[in-house]
């Protein structure tokens, strides 16, 4: 894993777990400057974990947002007891199962993506992130290399297949995307069926333009 820290000299921190392909560049416009931010991304090596050395004691409040495969990554970190007490939390467009026919991305779809990863398929992936929303989305491009993304997919598959979670993070709120062309709505809906605080949106896999900023995502 990798992290990118953005300081606004605040006493509150939002830890943002990015999804596959994404990094801080994709979300920076939703930063309102009211919190420090720690972006977590690149799951090509889960053992290389800079979160272990981050000083959370500098903050009076820590919140968590997890997006897409970042929902699984957060749960992985949570099971290593590396998170402080969390004030508020939200999961968007993801579950604790990255590759699963009932609760995650369909296995055949995932394997096809992993085998055919190149510049063209990444461009198609970017476009599919925006499909399903009511207006065109100007999603900022991630600063990631194809080779790194291929390693990320492979490692997510291997680690998730061989990791058993002894506990699951209890999100305060989950956001489910009805028109999602990346992480199926049916998988999101199946997994979060019993959750008491669900927000279902008529948009695609990048729901962030439905909110003003990160604080609004965490509200309610």
């Amino acid at each position: 894993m990798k992290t990118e820290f953005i300081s606004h000299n605040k006493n509150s921190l939002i830890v943002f777990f990015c999804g596959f392909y994404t990094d801080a560049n994709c979300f920076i416009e939703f930063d309102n400057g009211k919190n420090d931010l720690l972006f977590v991304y690149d799951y090509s090596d889960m053992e290389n974990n800079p979160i272990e050395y981050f000083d959370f004691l500098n903050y009076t409040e820590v919140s968590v947002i997890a997006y897409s495969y970042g929902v699984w990554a957060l749960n992985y970190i949570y099971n290593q007891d590396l998170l402080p007490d969390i004030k508020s939390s939200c999961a968007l467009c993801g579950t604790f199962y990255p590759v699963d026919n009932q609760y995650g991305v369909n296995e055949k779809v995932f394997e096809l993506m992993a085998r055919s990863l190149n510049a063209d398929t990444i461009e198609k992936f970017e476009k599919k992130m925006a499909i399903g929303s009511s207006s065109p989305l100007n999603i900022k491009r991630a600063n990631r290399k194809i080779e790194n993304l291929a390693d990320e997919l492979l490692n997510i598959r291997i680690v998730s297949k061989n990791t058993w979670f002894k506990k699951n993070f209890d999100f305060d709120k989950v956001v489910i995307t009805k028109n999602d062309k990346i992480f199926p709505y049916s998988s999101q809906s199946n997994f979060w069926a019993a959750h008491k605080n669900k927000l279902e949106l008529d948009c695609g896999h990048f729901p962030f333009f439905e909110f003003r900023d990160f604080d609004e995502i965490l509200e309610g």
Side-chain angles (χ1 to χ4, degrees):
M1 282 180 288
K2 295 179 182 177
T3 57
E4 182 173 340
F5 175 64
I6 297 175
S7 175
H8 297 296
N9 296 312
K10 303 299 182 181
N11 293 322
S12 57
L13 173 74
I14 294 177
V15 185
F16 188 104
F17 284 80
C18 300
F20 163 71
Y21 164 77
T22 58
D23 59 14
N25 293 336
C26 302
F27 310 101
I28 199 63
E29 63 191 290
F30 305 102
D31 172 17
N32 61 15
K34 295 180 180 179
N35 312 275
D36 284 2
L37 297 171
L38 181 66
F39 288 95
V40 185
Y41 68 102
D42 186 355
Y43 307 125
S44 60
D45 182 358
M46 300 299 287
E47 299 304 316
N48 179 22
N49 187 356
I51 294 177
E52 185 176 356
Y53 307 104
F54 188 83
D55 191 358
F56 291 104
L57 295 178
N58 289 328
Y59 299 95
T60 57
E61 295 179 354
V62 178
S63 298
V64 165
I65 298 174
Y67 169 59
S68 191
Y69 276 1
V71 177
W72 165 78
L74 179 148
N75 210 36
Y76 183 92
I77 296 301
Y78 175 65
N79 274 265
Q80 293 183 328
D81 298 319
L82 295 177
L83 292 178
D85 291 337
I86 301 299
K87 176 195 173 188
S88 58
S89 57
C90 181
L92 303 98
C93 317
T95 71
F96 298 146
Y97 293 85
V99 189
D100 188 270
N101 290 340
Q102 185 176 6
Y103 296 126
V105 173
N106 179 275
E107 294 182 14
K108 290 183 179 179
V109 172
F110 180 92
E111 296 298 340
L112 179 62
M113 177 69 172
R115 289 198 306 268
S116 61
L117 200 66
N118 55 44
D120 289 337
T121 55
I122 286 298
E123 185 175 352
K124 290 178 182 178
F125 180 84
E126 291 174 336
K127 291 179 179 179
K128 286 179 72 174
M129 289 174 69
I131 292 175
S133 298
S134 58
S135 58
L137 305 182
N138 182 25
I139 302 173
K140 300 291 191 299
R141 176 163 288 191
N143 185 23
R144 306 280 302 275
K145 295 182 179 179
I146 296 294
E147 297 80 7
N148 173 242
L149 294 173
D151 290 342
E152 182 175 32
L153 279 183
L154 177 62
N155 196 55
I156 288 173
R157 179 63 161 139
I158 292 172
V159 175
S160 63
K161 188 176 183 179
N162 294 288
T163 300
W164 178 78
F165 292 138
K166 62 184 179 183
K167 56 184 178 180
N168 286 325
F169 186 84
D170 186 15
F171 284 96
D172 297 321
K173 174 182 177 181
V174 297
V175 174
I176 297 174
T177 39
K178 293 182 180 181
N179 303 325
D180 203 311
K181 305 303 179 185
I182 302 292
F183 205 114
Y185 166 73
S186 59
S187 293
Q188 298 177 51
S189 184
N190 288 340
F191 184 78
W192 298 115
H195 200 282
K196 296 180 179 179
N197 188 13
K198 289 181 291 188
L199 175 62
E200 297 200 4
L201 298 177
D202 289 315
C203 67
H205 190 65
F206 198 86
F208 296 92
F209 289 102
E210 304 293 323
F211 304 91
R212 293 188 308 272
D213 49 35
F214 293 141
D215 283 335
E216 187 178 11
I217 290 174
L218 291 165
E219 289 174 0

